[in-house]
């Protein structure tokens, strides 16, 4: 009974926090829309990002007040709030977005996410993400693209448009490389070579790098784990039962392994595949040291919008 009451109160807190953030960043977004002046654009972008920082700070306060969390954060000393990054992370739960935004808010620029276009119409969330210039992806099906080949570049154009705005202030664009939340059932049926991870969607990372490459200072590789809350981390977080969070941060330079034309240069494509798979293999070995055993078979059953663009490789 107490757990459910705590969950209701925490949901109300997050909703109010998100609503206030949404209205504030939307106000700055409208000013940018009305006054396309460089100084105004930069100022409003920074104010919107600060509002997002406040949202993440309040969420972190809520996490620590309602949970007795042991934070195990490794790395991150070589990243800066004044540079531009692409972050790639494994994906376990809805809790990931809250955790990443909260724990990294003072280490690097505020995180931005690839979003499904449908999220634009979700109350509060859509307004906030629009005001923060996050790219909304339409994720056209193969059948749709066969009927409408002229729409093939819709998502790439959306990212390019967002990147133009990202140049106004340091930014971290997040890509959940597996494309979906990993759990034991998916790991058992996905024919993945990894013990704790799904196969990375190589095309999705390459897609983001192609658009953002010129402004990036590095790739931040984050490994997330909830070793004592593997079954339902999001629900446990809201109920005050989260006990340990592991966040490992590793910075990759923008070298020959990630700089190239993935879609036209076959040699680079092979090199990039090898680089990403090696990164995932090393991440999986690290998770072995955290978990020690296989992930449990019971998983979160909460369904809802996945706030990540899943780039399908052709």
């Amino acid at each position: 009974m107490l757990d459910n009451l705590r969950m209701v109160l925490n949901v109300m807190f997050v909703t109010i926090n998100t609503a206030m953030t949404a209205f504030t960043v939307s106000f700055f977004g409208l000013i940018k829309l009305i006054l396309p002046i460089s100084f105004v654009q930069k100022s409003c972008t920074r104010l919107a990002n600060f509002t997002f920082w406040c949202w993440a700070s309040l969420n972190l306060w809520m996490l620590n007040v309602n949970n007795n969390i042991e934070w195990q954060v490794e790395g991150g000393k070589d990243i800066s709030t004044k540079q531009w990054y692409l972050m790639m992370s494994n994906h376990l739960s809805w809790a990931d977005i809250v955790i990443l935004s909260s724990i990294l808010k003072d280490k690097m620029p505020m995180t931005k996410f690839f979003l499904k276009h449908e999220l634009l119409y979700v109350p509060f969330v859509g307004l906030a993400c629009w005001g923060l210039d996050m790219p909304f992806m339409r994720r056209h099906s193969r059948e749709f693209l066969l009927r409408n080949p002229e729409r093939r570049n819709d998502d790439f154009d959306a990212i390019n448009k967002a990147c133009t705005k990202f140049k106004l202030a340091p930014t971290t664009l997040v890509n959940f490389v597996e494309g979906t939340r990993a759990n034991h059932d998916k790991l058992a049926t996905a024919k993945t070579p990894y013990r704790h991870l799904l196969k990375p969607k190589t095309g999705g990372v390459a897609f983001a790098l192609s658009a953002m490459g010129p402004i990036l200072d590095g790739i931040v590789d984050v490994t997330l784990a909830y070793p004592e809350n593997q079954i339902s981390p999001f629900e446990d977080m809201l109920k005050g039962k989260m006990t340990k969070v592991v966040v490992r941060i590793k910075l990759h330079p923008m070298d020959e392994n990630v700089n190239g034309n993935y879609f036209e240069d076959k040699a680079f494509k092979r090199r990039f595949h090898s680089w990403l798979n090696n990164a995932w293999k090393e991440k999986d070995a690290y998770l072995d040291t955290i978990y020690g055993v296989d992930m449990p078979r019971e998983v979160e059953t909460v369904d809802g919008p996945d706030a990540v663009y899943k780039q399908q490789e052709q």
Side-chain angles (χ1 to χ4, degrees), residues 57-70:
S57 297
L58 285 173
N59 284 338
L60 182 60
W61 174 83
M62 182 269 290
L63 282 171
N64 286 323
V65 166
N66 291 286
N67 298 269
N68 184 21
I69 300 177
E70 175 190 347

Side-chain angles (χ1 to χ4, degrees), residues 5-6 38 44 59 65 74 78 109 114 161 174 188 197 205 238-241 259 304:
L5 177 60
R6 188 192 296 267
S38 178
C44 287
N59 284 338
V65 166
E74 302 177 16
D78 49 357
F114 291 111
K161 184 178 180 180
V174 181
L197 303 166
V205 187
L238 293 175
K239 288 183 175 181
K241 294 182 176 181
N259 266 322

